Amino acid sequence: MSHHKVRITVNGTAGEDEVEARQLLVHYLRETRGLTGTHVGCDTSNCGACTVLLDGRTVKSCTVFTVTADGTDVLTVEGLDEHGEMSPVQQGFQACHGLQCGYCTPGMVMSATGLLLEQPDPDDDAIRDGIEGNLCRCTGYDMIVDSVRWAAAHGGAGTAATAHAEGKV
Amino acid sequence: MGSMVGASVVRKEDPALLTGRGTFVDDIRLSGTVHMVFVRSYTAHARILSIDTTGAARLPGVLGVWTNADLEGLPASRSVPGMQRPCLAKDTVHFVGEPVAVVVATDRYLAADAAEAVLVEYEDLPVMASIAAATAEGATPIMDGLPSNVVLEQQLSATDAEAELAAAPHRLAIALVNQRCAAVPMEPTVCLADWQSSGLTIWATSQTPHHMRNEIAQMFGLSQQEVRFVAPDVGGGFGAKASFYPEFLLTAELSRRLRRPVKYVETRSENMTSMVHGRAQEHDVEVGFDDEGHLLALRVRITQDCGGWPDSTGIGLPTLTSFMSGGCYKIPTIAPSFRSVVTNTTPVGSYRGAGRPEASYMIERVVDHVAAELGIDPLDVRRRNFVQPGEMPYATQFEGIVYDEADFPGALDKLLEHVDYEALRTEQAARREDPTAPLLGIGFSTFVEMGGFGPTPLFEQFGYVGGWESANVRLNVDGSAVIKVGTSPHGQGHQTAFAQIVADQLSVPFERITLIHGDTATVQEGIGTMGSRGVPVGGSAVFKAANKVRDKAIRIAAHMLEADESDIELADGRFSVRGAPDQGVDMAEVAVRAFKPHLLPDGFDLGLDETAFHEPTNLSYPSGAHCCVVEIDRDTGKVLIRRYVAVDDCGVVINPLMAKGQIHGGVAQGIAQALIEEVTYAENGQPGAGTLVDYTVPSAKDLPRYETDHLVTPTSFNPLGAKGLGESGATAAPQAVVNAVVDAMGHLGVRTIDMPCTPQKVWRVLNAALAAHENGS
Ligand code: FES
Ligand code: FES
């Protein structure tokens, strides 16, 4: 198995690593970079637990080989933090009880953030469309929809995600 | 400070989970950890002729490959005697996905490579992939030494009700299938074992850490003190993480042998065939009734598909179905019986509601059948048969099954405040006349289920030490409080709910209370989180422990204030003397004093640290009434849920926000069972649902908004008056949806449809009914 050098910026921190050609980005983030907030829930790109922002766009990091992310800027759930405060999306999830076990949550939060970057004021249908690729087994989604609407009304994607998106896109 | 119980406070556990700082098992990093990967059977029933591990063992990074033969003496999982499952298949495999060998390597990718290189030679045996195949004449027995695949048979009543059925003015036979579903927690099974000379520590995705500790200690012949089992953040369980899995034992054993931590992370594809499935029951029902729809006799014959190995919980599920087969109705004679059958499929265990949703679906479908047969409104049949509020607690014919306080008709009345039933029926009639409009269906579910699991004699049957729960509450010297509790949540919000209870009892600010759970080294004892026992049993233990602390604190305060204990009041964190509000001491002062023997009465037991156990004397019985309104597209058969309204009675609600979340989640799973989900097998035992591509878990686009309301009938069987709620939605929803689907087509003579009501199936039923209708008219 061939190895390759990659430079990937994660949450504003540059890194240079040697990775196996077949390594998935989600494993790079979790194992190499030690950022375990991004989760794995399936092996078929169906669940969205691994969603991150890559150069401002949401991707399922279990579908991206680390080598193909060379030179990119990745934002994970750990990078949403705004000077110790949770981002509006994170706050919305807490305010509206948009999570129970919390396993789908980092991916769900990243998808919601990506949605609000594109569409700052989505209606309920647009929210359901936007998170359709993220499965949650606990909440039944209703309160996730409320959470995203709450976030849209309280600052949207938030400053960290907006800066990330503007920096690259 | 107002009462915290009943307040919609946001959850304490959320910030960590929302910022990626939660700790799930795979997030735990121990240096030197190596990775275990299974070699799994790709065939459903076969004799293992040989396993060649030599090629795999030579691959880079591989530390070893083990088969059953290499693990001589490693005990089997507890089950029915004679049917214990070995960690790795011994001579035969029983289902696709059963582990036959394990590989350990330095990296999970390398371990997966090596697992591919293990060569297993099988000799196929006849496959019994369904109840029908396993019970057919001449079926091959799956379990060594057993003459048939029926592994347990039981009649739970003195009569088979034949006389009563024969005497009833009407008699109807109904066949129902409660299809096999997968729990699909978003986090698959993960475990990490570290065997040191001092003992074994294992972190694993489990709902029952103490139970698992006991099992593992017993299997290895260790003292319970030498095994520490930790369930940190757990990404959903839904009953399936209450079962014991071979990987817990294998990672432990291999860590002992390799002297390194060993981690196992299940892939989703493995999870779909390896984690226990739920439901999987078939019901043959006969019901006798009179002209007004009074139910006179009910005979239920249940067949439980146990899968390839009988799970110690799974095999007992039909007893719960039997106990609950009368639903919320007074039926003079109920005759349930069951048989549990093994098949060459994934083992079946508990899944949200475990045995009660099956009963609830059955009786609620029966009621609708009776209504259709007599041409009367299904709500009238329900009303005529309800156990009335004045008859509570209501002793069913089953020993120990006594419904607690409830108001079944009240719940239905409350539901109808939200639903304009007349208007819906009018709209339904209009749409039936208009061939361009989707059909409209209205379905009801008035249900009762079991929560607050215990008492001990019932729970012992499922292999637990008891049905109690334990809690410890400690007041620190700064006036903050720590709770330790034996329940181990996986999304239920125990940190928040239990802090609310303690905040009220001790008048300590909610923010200053923390919860410790899920670790057998720090929590004294526990049974676990399942059967909606978190608040009713765990919460009651917390309540009792907090009360003991409070009583002791009052004694100290009385001493400090030189007053009589009975005159001490506690409010806003301050003890004062009744009638003399200026005279007082605050909680922190009392807490400090608790450690000063020279300033306390002689012989005072120091500290404010109390443990309590709550042993329920009865189960609790959450109930309610749900309504589902569906539209059916005539061209495609697609069922659209237009409204879903749920009125639940879980007794006292600790946190309405969290209660709403639990109802939503349960209803979502119930709707999914009704419309979408099904684990299927081909005749040769190949699973049709091996990934999330073939097994559809609903997304946000597939589910409706939910409307919820509560009726509060406190139970008198625990100090909180809480009945539990986690399983109600999944218990109530399937029949509300299916009744609505059938109702939409009722005018065409449709009486029945099996779950899941997929567009294809509904389209077929609809078109067959239309054709028959046209021919007939
Ligand atoms: S883990 Fe990436 S989509 Fe499921
Ligand atoms: S909160 Fe548990 S899966 Fe979404």
Side-chain angles (χ1 to χ4, degrees), chain B residues 610-640:
Chain B
E610 296 292 325
T611 297
F613 286 76
H614 179 71
E615 160 74 11
T617 52
N618 188 15
L619 287 157
S620 55
Y621 290 86
S623 58
H626 289 203
C627 174
C628 178
V629 182
V630 301
E631 285 178 6
I632 296 180
D633 185 295
R634 295 184 200 233
D635 297 329
T636 63
K638 188 168 167 52
V639 176
L640 177 89

Side-chain angles (χ1 to χ4, degrees), chain A residues 7-168:
Chain A
R7 283 166 206 262
I8 301 175
T9 300
V10 184
N11 301 334
T13 307
E16 194 177 304
D17 301 280
E18 190 160 295
V19 302
E20 226 182 297
R22 62 175 169 177
Q23 191 194 45
L24 301 172
L25 180 61
V26 65
H27 287 137
Y28 170 78
L29 293 170
R30 290 180 54 84
E31 310 296 334
T32 313
R33 301 296 291 260
L35 294 165
T36 56
T38 304
H39 295 157
V40 181
C42 68
D43 16 82
T44 46
S45 296
N46 283 80
C47 77
C50 62
T51 305
V52 298
L53 289 182
L54 191 142
D55 288 342
R57 315 267 305 250
T58 50
V59 297
K60 291 180 173 172
S61 61
C62 71
T63 315
V64 177
F65 286 118
T66 311
V67 285
T68 66
D70 185 25
T72 62
D73 190 343
V74 174
L75 189 72
T76 73
V77 71
E78 288 97 338
L80 290 179
D81 200 275
E82 300 174 0
H83 311 295
E85 285 257 298
M86 291 196 291
S87 77
V89 175
Q90 291 168 316
Q91 288 179 36
F93 272 72
Q94 184 174 25
C96 303
H97 192 35
L99 67 155
Q100 289 181 35
C101 78
Y103 196 78
C104 73
T105 308
M108 199 62 90
V109 163
M110 296 314 290
S111 278
T113 302
L115 169 69
L116 293 178
L117 283 171
E118 274 176 33
Q119 256 177 288
D121 190 21
D123 63 15
D124 283 8
D125 276 346
I127 295 172
R128 284 181 190 264
D129 276 337
I131 60 167
E132 193 191 3
N134 291 67
L135 299 177
C136 173
R137 193 54 154 169
C138 299
T139 62
Y141 303 107
D142 221 6
M143 293 165 99
I144 292 181
V145 175
D146 294 346
S147 306
V148 180
R149 217 184 319 97
W150 188 100
H154 292 82
T159 51
T162 307
H164 161 82
E166 281 168 357
K168 284 302 222 182

Side-chain angles (χ1 to χ4, degrees), chain B residues 136-217:
Chain B
E137 191 78 31
T140 302
I142 295 169
M143 293 289 147
D144 273 350
L146 286 192
S148 94
N149 291 314
V150 178
V151 293
L152 182 65
E153 233 174 331
Q154 229 171 329
Q155 166 90 33
L156 285 115
S157 58
T159 164
D160 69 353
E162 183 49 41
E164 290 84 350
L165 286 166
H170 306 272
R171 177 175 182 163
L172 207 57
I174 303 161
L176 295 162
V177 179
N178 217 287
Q179 85 274 28
R180 181 187 283 245
C181 290
V184 199
M186 292 320 299
E187 178 197 34
T189 299
V190 185
C191 59
L192 168 63
D194 186 16
W195 194 309
Q196 305 255 1
S197 56
S198 54
L200 165 70
T201 305
I202 176 159
W203 292 262
T205 46
S206 175
Q207 301 175 212
T208 56
H210 290 87
H211 178 58
M212 295 300 156
R213 174 203 60 189
N214 298 353
E215 297 279 296
I216 289 171

